Structures are given as C-alpha cells and as structure tokens.
Amino acid sequence: MSVRKRQDRNDQEQLLISDTNNQPTRHHDEDRQEPSDLRGDWGNIAILFFLYLLQGIPIGLASAIPMLLQNRGASYKQQAEFSFAHWPFSMKLLWAPIVDSLYWSRFGRRKSWLIPTQYLIGIFMLILSMQVNRWLGSNDEGGTVTVAPNIPILTGIFFALNFLAATQDIAVDGWALTMLKRCNVGHASTCNSVGQTAGYFLGYVAFMALESAEFCNGYLRSEPSDEGMVTLPGFLWFWGLVFLVTTTLVALFKRESLPNAERGGEEHMELDIKQTYSLLLDIIKMKPILILTAILLTVKIGFAACDAVSSLKLIDAGVPKDKLALLVVPLVPLQIILPLVISKYTTGPRPMEVYLRAIPYRIGMTVLAAAVVWFTPVMIYNNHVPYYYYMILLTNYGLYQIALYSMFVAVMAFFARVSDPAVGGTYMTLLNTLSNLGGNWPTTVVLWMVDVLTWKRCSINDDNTCSNTTDQEICTNDGGKCNIEIDGYYIEIVICLVYGILWYQWGKHKIRYLQNLPLNAWRVVRRQRAHTS
C-alpha cells in the first residue's frame, strides 16, 4: 500500500484577462482559477502518462522483491534492510537543485536529464537481468533455503535503480509544469496517478502472476510446466529494451518549450547550483513549510505497521504470494477511477478537508487489516485458501485504497496549489520528498522492530528463546520448532493505533491553519524581491 509523490495543480495562480483593448493583462488575484482547456494538450498528456508509466515499472519491481525474499527465508530485519532501496524518492531533494539548474539549453532543460537517465535505467536493467537470480538465492523442491539471498547486494542495486527513477521523476515533475498550459497543469496529477498505477501494476502484479507456475498452469496454459511464463531476468531484459527504444523516440521527436505568457507561465528564474540550494534553504525556513514538514514526517506513523508488515504476515500464514498480488487486479479499475473522482473534490481552495476526513477511516481499516491477519491461520486449513477468504481480503484492500487515495490526491492537490510556480521544480520536489520520507522511515523502523518485539520459544526447550539465528538453528537441529508466543506485529498495531488517534487530534488543527493561509504566504520569490527592493 505504497505510495508516493505526485503533483496536481488545479489552482490558477495568475489569471490572464482581457483589458479594454482585448490584450491579455495579468490579474494578481491568485486565489482565482481558470477552467481547464485540453485543446492542444492531448498529446502532451499522453507523453506524461507514458513517462509516469515507465517510472512505475522499477517501483513495482522493488515491491515484488520482498515477496520473493519472504519465500526464501528472509527475516523481517532483512526486509527492513531491503526497504532502504525505496529511499531515493525520499532523498531526491539532495540532488534536485542540480537537476533543476544544470542543463544543455539547446537540448532542453528537462530532456537534458530525462534522456540520459532513462537510457541508464534501460542499460541497468539489461545488466541486472544477468545476475539477479544468483543474488535472490534459491530453495530446493521441499522449500528449504539452499542459497541464502544476498540482501546487501540486492539493496544496493535496487537502490541505484530507484535513484535513477527518482532523478527521472524530478525531470518529469518539472517538465509537467511547462509542457501543459497553466490551466491544464492539474491534469499532471491524473497522469501521475494513473500512469504510475499502470506501471506499478505491470512491474508488480503482472510480473508476480506470470512468474508463478501455479497461476500460469491454472489459467494460461493447456499443458503444465514447472516454471512460470515469465522470469525476473527475462522481465528485466524486456523492460530494459522498452526504456531504450522509447527514450530514443522522445529524444528525437519531442521538443521542449520554455514557459511563456500564452501557456500561463510566470517569469522563470535562471539559477546556478549555489543559488538553487540557497533558494531551497529559504523555502525550508518559511514557517508554513516548517509546520507542513512536521505534519508530513509524522502523519503516516499511525499506518506504518499495517502498510509494511500485513502482507508479509499473510504470506507467513500460508497465503500464496502470487494470489496475494493478483488481488490487486480487480481493484485496478478502482485505482484508476479513484483519482479522477476524488480530484473533483480537491480542485477548490480547501483540498485538505478530504485528507482530514480520510485519516479516521484509514485508522479504522488498519484495525480491520490486523483482524484479518489474526484470523488467517484459522481460515486456511491444510494449505487450502477458501474463496470467501479472498473476498474478505479484496473487500478490506478495496476500502483501504479509497482512504489511501483520498489522502494522496488531496495532499498532491494542496502541494500544487501552494507551490511557487517561479521555482516549481524545486518547490514541488521539496514537498514530494517530504511526503515520501514521511512514509519510508516509519516503514523501515516497523519492519526492523517486528523481530525485536516478537517473543519466541523453542517447542522442546523452554530455555531456548530463539532470540537469534544460532538459537533457532539449535532448536531446529534438535527437532523442535520456534513458536511465537507474542507477535511483535500486533504490539506495533496497538502502538500505531494509539499514536494515530492522538496525532489526529493535533494534526487537524495544524492542517486547517495551513489551508486557510493566503497563497502569497507560500511564495518565496516574491519575498526575496520584496527584501531586495
């Protein structure tokens, strides 16, 4: 249940109106907005959609790896270690000013980074396809781990892959602000949500299904086979080629234009690296940004245990990983439609009201998810998962998606509304990075703490608490089994639940305070000019 940085700019910061001579003049009422007009922008929307789809492929793959690792004997601490592979999207602020200020003007401000980055992603996938199976480890026919997964190498290579994807994201987010007309920039949020969802579906759900021999034999083959129709090396090889081909097409046939008055662009600041980092510090020091930072870095703690651990606990309880991934398939139409529906309620001046209403529901769905995990061993008998159980999971996941997407679309609309368009790339990247970091650091912590908070004991030796790998091996070699007496997952669920309730009482007042601020309270360029004049 991840998720993610994006943009939505339905607010028209400066409206062009006609004077008595029918010449466009600039109106300074920033709180007014111009209706969307998609004429001339359909092609640009299609390009943005496809670029975000490509971005979703490595994100989906990085989400599939923990499922594969869980079946290869990885511990929750090792899962926590691999979760660092997702961190580049929470760190991209460190190099975003470089992407925003260094470029080859004849080639294009965003294309200067987009094209080489996507070429590198394609090449990286081709090289990765040759070694990934060895690093994932292997099991014998009985499911016993024969070669342990190499977590440090896997973490490093997927961290590098996501680093490139995050750099591509910086370029695309910035390009969206100038590729579309100002009145249409709000549709970049839809391109982001729908495109990235489609890419995530291909990289995670489609891969997990086609990689599963059981699924392929049951639904796609007339003659059974011991392997799925797709392997991870083959999947990486295919998408590596897709990246290389499509990047070449964008490089040759899509020109990048600078913002102008006709497209609704404000004066764009040309800054070197030093000036860009200085501007970034000025943005961070603004009081509204400091309050928003505190909100973004703490709000998702209340959902962290549910988001990060629940699916892994279901696999431990006997739910097949491919069937778990396939539960997303019936929800794909919902995931595509939700941003479109929710955006109707977030285009006004108070998008965060939707955000606030979703938080209590998401807290409640966390409790429901924990209850499903609790009763899963009872409902699964002799490795048989009944259909009604899948319906329970599907209902729970669908309801959770509604709350998740409501918060996601609302906060992205708010980011787009308050961002200073004169420095849109840096401003949007800052807010998106904070949002991502607020989800990633709690995920890593709760994964790490599951084993710490879990109490185990060997079934044939009460003195053996199975507190480390050595004790577990001793218990197994003696013919015993390490049984869980207290599951750290449920301790984390209770802690997160209490925290979430307390946070909501504090956070709702802060969020409404920020939402009621005038737009000029978020402008950094105007303040700088006021101080220098």
Side-chain angles (χ1 to χ4, degrees):
M1 306 174 185
S2 56
V3 222
R4 334 191 152 111
K5 65 307 100 301
R6 331 299 157 215
Q7 51 186 357
D8 184 9
R9 190 179 296 275
N10 288 325
D11 179 76
Q12 178 76 359
E13 278 85 359
Q14 293 187 323
L15 183 66
L16 293 179
I17 58 175
S18 298
D19 60 11
T20 54
N21 296 321
N22 292 323
Q23 298 296 324
T25 59
R26 193 172 296 280
H27 193 286
H28 294 284
D29 182 6
E30 292 184 325
D31 292 323
R32 299 180 61 184
Q33 68 184 72
E34 181 180 323
S36 174
D37 181 6
L38 293 176
R39 289 174 296 181
D41 260 349
W42 283 109
N44 292 326
I45 287 177
I47 292 174
L48 284 176
F49 167 80
F50 191 72
L51 291 176
Y52 281 120
L53 181 146
L54 290 179
Q55 187 185 120
I57 298 297
I59 296 175
L61 279 172
S63 298
I65 295 300
M67 299 291 190
L68 300 177
L69 291 175
Q70 197 70 10
N71 278 0
R72 287 167 169 81
S75 67
Y76 284 98
K77 286 186 177 179
Q78 290 177 316
Q79 294 282 11
E81 184 179 347
F82 182 79
S83 71
F84 282 105
H86 297 276
W87 277 59
F89 279 99
S90 301
M91 301 169 62
K92 63 181 182 177
L93 185 64
L94 299 177
W95 66 92
I98 299 176
V99 177
D100 207 36
S101 57
L102 290 183
Y103 57 93
W104 184 22
S105 58
R106 292 184 60 184
F107 190 57
R109 185 185 192 96
R110 309 302 174 184
K111 287 176 64 177
S112 295
W113 288 93
L114 177 72
I115 301 305
T117 297
Q118 290 199 166
Y119 272 131
L120 285 174
I121 293 175
I123 295 171
F124 198 89
M125 283 184 165
L126 295 180
I127 297 174
L128 180 59
S129 68
M130 303 175 186
Q131 299 292 334
V132 68
N133 269 348
R134 181 163 62 91
W135 293 325
L136 272 174
S138 59
N139 297 347
D140 60 19
E141 294 182 358
T144 303
V145 177
T146 55
V147 179
N150 194 323
I151 302 298
I153 291 182
L154 284 173
T155 302
I157 59 178
F158 276 93
F159 182 93
L161 186 61
N162 279 335
F163 171 83
L164 294 172
T167 304
Q168 185 254 25
D169 179 58
I170 297 170
V172 177
D173 282 350
W175 199 358
L177 298 176
T178 57
M179 186 185 296
L180 301 177
K181 292 184 289 187
R182 174 62 60 189
C183 62
N184 292 331
V185 176
H187 293 287
S189 166
T190 303
C191 293
N192 192 320
S193 300
V194 179
Q196 202 173 76
T197 297
Y200 180 85
F201 173 83
L202 293 172
Y204 174 53
V205 180
F207 165 70
M208 293 294 289
L210 297 177
E211 188 265 350
S212 169
E214 180 183 354
F215 175 82
C216 293
N217 292 337
Y219 299 98
L220 302 178
R221 286 193 179 118
S222 57
E223 296 183 4
S225 174
D226 294 334
E227 295 182 351
M229 300 179 66
V230 169
T231 63
L232 182 55
F235 192 83
L236 286 166
W237 182 265
F238 171 79
W239 282 106
L241 293 178
V242 171
F243 265 93
L244 295 181
V245 172
T246 55
T247 303
T248 301
L249 294 176
V250 173
L252 293 177
F253 299 110
K254 178 58 182 175
R255 292 185 178 182
E256 182 179 349
S257 58
L258 295 176
N260 51 60
E262 182 180 355
R263 295 186 69 83
E266 291 191 5
E267 177 186 353
H268 189 87
M269 297 182 65
E270 298 292 337
L271 304 175
D272 57 29
I273 296 178
K274 182 179 179 180
Q275 291 172 324
T276 305
Y277 277 105
S278 176
L279 174 66
L280 182 60
L281 289 176
D282 289 337
I283 296 174
I284 294 174
K285 290 187 291 186
M286 295 168 58
K287 182 180 177 181
I289 295 296
L290 291 175
I291 298 175
L292 184 58
T293 298
I295 291 171
L296 296 175
L297 292 182
T298 57
V299 62
K300 295 178 183 177
I301 297 176
F303 325 122
C306 174
D307 293 354
V309 188
S310 294
S311 59
L312 300 179
K313 280 294 180 182
L314 292 177
I315 294 176
D316 285 344
V319 181
K321 67 180 188 306
D322 56 313
K323 297 290 182 61
L324 198 59
L326 285 172
L327 287 178
V328 179
V329 175
L331 297 175
V332 169
L334 178 67
Q335 292 174 326
I336 294 175
I337 294 172
L338 273 176
L340 303 176
V341 175
I342 297 170
S343 63
K344 295 180 180 180
Y345 301 95
T346 60
T347 54
R350 302 181 65 83
M352 294 298 280
E353 290 301 318
V354 175
Y355 188 89
L356 288 174
R357 291 171 187 166
I359 291 177
Y361 289 100
R362 193 167 174 183
I363 293 174
M365 293 308 302
T366 295
V367 177
L368 183 57
V372 171
V373 173
W374 177 273
F375 287 105
T376 293
V378 178
M379 290 184 281
I380 296 179
Y381 177 73
N382 198 23
N383 294 326
H384 172 69
V385 184
Y387 285 107
Y388 75 83
Y389 175 79
Y390 287 120
M391 293 303 299
I392 293 174
L393 287 182
L394 185 64
T395 302
N396 181 64
Y397 188 57
L399 293 174
Y400 194 84
Q401 289 294 297
I402 295 174
L404 186 149
Y405 271 86
S406 295
M407 293 182 64
F408 168 69
V409 175
V411 79
M412 290 305 118
F414 183 70
F415 290 170
R417 175 177 173 78
V418 302
S419 294
D420 191 334
V423 286
T426 300
Y427 213 116
M428 285 294 296
T429 300
L430 169 63
L431 299 181
N432 286 329
T433 298
L434 292 172
S435 180
N436 285 328
L437 183 59
N440 280 339
W441 80 260
T443 293
T444 300
V445 171
V446 298
L447 282 170
W448 185 271
M449 292 299 295
V450 169
D451 286 337
V452 176
L453 296 174
T454 297
W455 293 60
K456 296 181 180 180
R457 193 171 301 276
C458 182
S459 59
I460 61 174
N461 184 0
D462 289 342
D463 294 331
N464 187 343
T465 58
C466 297
S467 58
N468 53 54
T469 304
T470 302
D471 289 345
Q472 293 172 10
E473 290 178 354
I474 292 174
C475 180
T476 303
N477 293 335
D478 291 341
K481 180 181 180 181
C482 289
N483 295 321
I484 295 177
E485 294 185 337
I486 300 177
D487 195 331
Y489 166 70
Y490 297 107
I491 296 177
E492 290 185 336
I493 286 291
V494 173
I495 294 174
C496 290
L497 174 63
V498 174
Y499 173 89
I501 295 173
L502 295 176
W503 188 96
Y504 182 71
Q505 299 304 316
W506 169 83
K508 63 182 179 181
H509 301 293
K510 298 297 182 182
I511 289 174
R512 284 177 176 142
Y513 164 76
L514 293 179
Q515 188 170 238
N516 291 331
L517 291 175
L519 290 181
N520 59 19
W522 301 86
R523 299 294 184 256
V524 63
V525 175
R526 186 171 301 170
R527 291 184 178 187
Q528 289 181 337
R529 289 173 177 169
H531 288 314
T532 57
S533 61

